[in-house]
Amino acid sequence: MPEPPRHNLPAEPNRFVGRERDLDELRGLFRETRVVTLCGVGGIGKTRLALRVAAGLVSAYPDGVWLVELARLRHPELVDQEIGRVLGVREEAGRPVFGTVLDRLRDLHCLLLLDNCEHLIDRCAEVAAALIAACPRLSVLATSREPLRIAGELIWRVPPLDLPDEGNPGEAGPMRGGPETEPARGAPEEESAQRRPEAESVQLFLDRATATGTRLGPGSLPDVVRLCRALDGLPLALELAAARTSLLSPGQIADRIDDRFSLLTTGGRTAPARQRTLLAAVEWSYDLLSAKEQVLLRRLSVFAGDFDLDLAEQVCAERPISEAEIVDLLGGLVDKSLVLCDESRRRYWLLETIKRYAVDCLQKAGEREVLRERHLHVVCELQERHFATEMVEPGVPWARRLEALTMSKSLVDDQRMALDWSVESGNVPLGLRLCAASSGLLPLCGNLTEIVTWIERLLSLDLTQVPGEQIAQARGYLAYGLEARDELSRSLALAEESLAGVTEDNTFARCVIHSLIVVVLLRMGRPEDAVHHAEEGLALALRSGDAWNQAAGLAGLSAVALTRGRLREAQRHGEEALARAREHGHRWIMARTATQLGAVAEFRGDLVTAKAHYEMVVPWLRELGSDLDLSRALARVGRVTAMLHEFAAARDWLTASLALGRETGQRHGVALCLVGLSVLAEREGDLEGAVLAAGAAARLRESIGQQSPTIRIEELLGRARTKLGDGRTTSLWSRGRAMSPDDAARHVLEGERIAQKAPVVTEPVRHSLLTAREQEVAGLLTRGLSNRAIATELVISPATVARHIANIMEKLGYTSRAQIAVWAAEHPTVAR
């Protein structure tokens, strides 16, 4: 298999010109420092230089070079999420995504390129400082108009391109710029006495002019030199000027730029000279556009990042330009280097400097509010259309559903921009519609915190003009996000409120809410309460012909039946669920129902069938790109394969699961993998390694709020005590809990064995594991008290008592209350 890419750097759009010394020196700096910030005015080439530097460092960083583009982000909290997205790290319930990012990067030798930090400078500085402190082999390369100002940062002031020498037109003059910690660079005396190569600024201008189809002869060189000096060697300014050579000669361009400078000077502009130089070039380029090109350019600034022709036509076509004119006008802007595009001309974008200028023009033209509102409407309509195609409409082929999901994801940045406007403008109805219609932000494939935050922000605004049913439906989607974050009580309360407010004719929303309530109630240990919602949701879906929710409802009934021990019923509902899921065609609901059938087969002891169902899920999740679900699926396959004594295959499955769990930062997936490794170790005859891995899994589960040990682990500890004795089992359990997941996994995967230590004194170890409250509970169990009686005596809730007993069982390695009571009776001074 080919090696996976170790970077996400884009292909260069055209030839990189000059800056060879800068490149060599910057790459060399990373042998001495870990944080380098390229600073300079807009248009000086910070991003292009950083990308070139990073590309030359790929071989120096075994774990990759990763570009994080920040220009399109508008909120500081999105910095963490964007880094996580680039690294493939997914948000984890109950944990800030940055904590997961830190864990992912802690042991990696890689380079992170943070591009365009200036508008998010405070959060970027915090993030960079925290990463450098926690990740000893990580380096950071940043681009910004101002430094991060963190410890250890080397600030490199990006110089303009070399200008022509006064005495030798077309040849390089003195070099400028470099690290702030060093004096400005100058050419050695012996070199200055010799003829030097053509100046970098001249090279760039000529190269870009040639790209437009203009061939400039030697006679044009003096005017090119004059123009390069006038534009102060700023790459963006030179590229804008070169794009005009198909219509104007270099001399004509230079004359007009000189006129622009006199306007800027007499206008009393106070910006630094280099900023005025760039402004002159951008203003000059803008003024040369036709009236309709100017309108389109400023309207394009409403998009968050890159966009396609269809989106531009829908948002920007309004008097004085028609939809039919957009394609030609857009092509003209590309030809003039004011809009960039990919090779296929399918995706377009504006450089940040041009975009900022265009935003100002949009504001001055009085169009900002109108365009932002239209952008909100268009994005909302597109997302609703994609959502309907992907999830709701019957009989849609999977290829079209997947395309709709992909398109929905591609609009997430514009969705954020649109939601920002809905909050700013108070257009709550449209904002809530947009939240409800986006697969890209729902837990299916998006960010849990973000969807919750957007809905909560919108629901905190004035809701007097919002229909009650829309508020109710929004609460249902909020409950969906909260369940994924393990906030079960709040999720249940909101889902029940939502169900009460959503009308009967909105069957899709009601079905989804019923299915959500089933999941929450099962997770809360209330299967009897879940039955009604599973049956009601299924009945609604059957009446409406909704295959997605029929599959979800049947899967819920199967899960309820399995929890209640009704295996035939669970099997029947599971098979029907998978059939309905196949009818719908969405790979996610197919994976969910097949996994449920696998769980039924495993519970029944039919491991071959369980494995077949679990394996079936893997290609579907890979096609979806759902790494979170895929990690868990691989762990399930590996566990059952180990139970079938196919040890080599099981090792491969579990290794893949562990790697993906690490990459996505999902501790739940890693814990599931450790349980599978525990099964593998025991089946291979390594009972000690099995206990060790189980201890590590239990500790990891606790760290994500899952307190009680699984039945599988309880049974393992019972077998271990019988074979190894209480002392050895307790010692291994404690050591496993103290180990990192990686170390515990290595003991199983690499065949390491735990050396027998000196005899362990069991009881002090066990005593040290229990908290003071757990010791009290253990003592009261000797009197045969119920949970409620213990709760009354200790003035705590019965649920808290149950949790303490579960913790005691896990820590002591017992499986019943009676065992705890016997132990506590034998040690009254410990369990008092």
Side-chain angles (χ1 to χ4, degrees), residues 687-697 732 735-737 739 743-744 747 754:
L687 189 56
E688 295 186 346
V691 174
L692 194 78
L732 290 165
R735 290 177 65 184
R737 289 175 57 84
M739 293 178 74
D743 287 343
H747 274 283
I754 308 303

Side-chain angles (χ1 to χ4, degrees), residues 673-692:
C673 180
L674 285 170
V675 171
L677 288 170
S678 175
V679 172
L680 173 63
E682 184 179 12
R683 296 301 170 107
E684 288 185 314
D686 179 15
L687 189 56
E688 295 186 346
V691 174
L692 194 78

Side-chain angles (χ1 to χ4, degrees), residues 648-722:
R651 196 174 299 274
D652 290 341
W653 286 108
L654 292 168
T655 298
S657 170
L658 185 65
L660 196 55
R662 284 198 201 104
E663 289 169 11
T664 57
Q666 296 297 306
R667 292 171 293 175
H668 180 83
V670 173
L672 197 61
C673 180
L674 285 170
V675 171
L677 288 170
S678 175
V679 172
L680 173 63
E682 184 179 12
R683 296 301 170 107
E684 288 185 314
D686 179 15
L687 189 56
E688 295 186 346
V691 174
L692 194 78
R699 180 69 188 88
L700 193 58
R701 284 167 57 84
E702 287 176 12
S703 72
I704 54 179
Q706 299 178 357
Q707 295 292 333
S708 59
T710 65
I711 294 174
R712 192 184 307 278
I713 290 178
E714 290 177 347
E715 292 172 347
L716 166 68
L717 292 175
R719 293 190 294 272
R721 281 191 299 272
T722 300

Side-chain angles (χ1 to χ4, degrees), residues 5-16 27 46-56 58 65-70 72 82 85-86 111-116 141 143 306 340-343 347 349 351:
R6 293 191 297 125
H7 69 84
N8 65 333
L9 304 175
E12 293 191 287
N14 46 32
R15 193 169 75 90
F16 187 88
R27 289 167 184 161
K46 299 183 295 294
T47 295
R48 191 69 189 272
L49 178 59
L51 291 171
R52 189 75 168 185
V53 169
V58 170
V65 172
W66 307 108
L67 167 65
V68 182
E69 297 177 289
L70 303 172
R72 68 185 188 280
E82 183 63 14
R85 187 194 67 78
V86 167
L111 173 68
L112 210 58
L113 169 49
L114 304 179
D115 188 35
N116 285 302
L141 173 60
T143 72
D306 60 335
L340 303 181
C341 67
D342 60 14
E343 290 183 2
R347 305 298 300 179
W349 66 95
L351 284 176

Side-chain angles (χ1 to χ4, degrees), residues 95-116:
R95 187 187 198 198
V97 71
F98 189 62
T100 310
V101 167
L102 278 178
D103 280 353
R104 174 78 179 100
L105 292 172
R106 199 177 305 278
D107 299 319
L108 298 187
H109 186 197
C110 64
L111 173 68
L112 210 58
L113 169 49
L114 304 179
D115 188 35
N116 285 302

Side-chain angles (χ1 to χ4, degrees), residues 285-323:
S285 297
Y286 183 78
D287 288 345
L288 285 179
L289 298 176
S290 69
K292 290 185 176 182
E293 285 176 327
Q294 289 180 348
V295 171
L296 179 58
L297 181 64
R298 66 181 181 243
R299 289 179 179 177
L300 293 176
S301 69
V302 79
F303 299 123
D306 60 335
F307 54 91
D308 59 17
L309 177 61
D310 181 59
L311 191 59
E313 289 174 337
Q314 293 188 60
V315 174
C316 302
E318 183 65 32
R319 293 179 60 188
I321 54 178
S322 67
E323 183 174 321

Side-chain angles (χ1 to χ4, degrees), residues 742-801:
D742 282 352
D743 287 343
R746 190 160 46 247
H747 274 283
V748 177
L749 291 172
E750 297 180 7
E752 298 181 14
R753 295 292 182 264
I754 308 303
Q756 179 74 44
K757 293 192 171 184
V760 178
V761 182
T762 304
E763 303 313 337
V765 170
R766 288 183 168 182
H767 169 222
S768 67
L769 290 176
L770 300 189
T771 65
R773 176 65 83 186
E774 288 165 354
Q775 293 172 34
E776 288 182 301
V777 171
L780 291 172
L781 284 174
T782 63
R783 292 158 50 186
L785 298 181
S786 66
N787 287 6
R788 187 170 297 280
I790 294 173
T792 301
E793 186 149 339
L794 297 180
V795 197
I796 56 179
S797 71
T800 301
V801 173

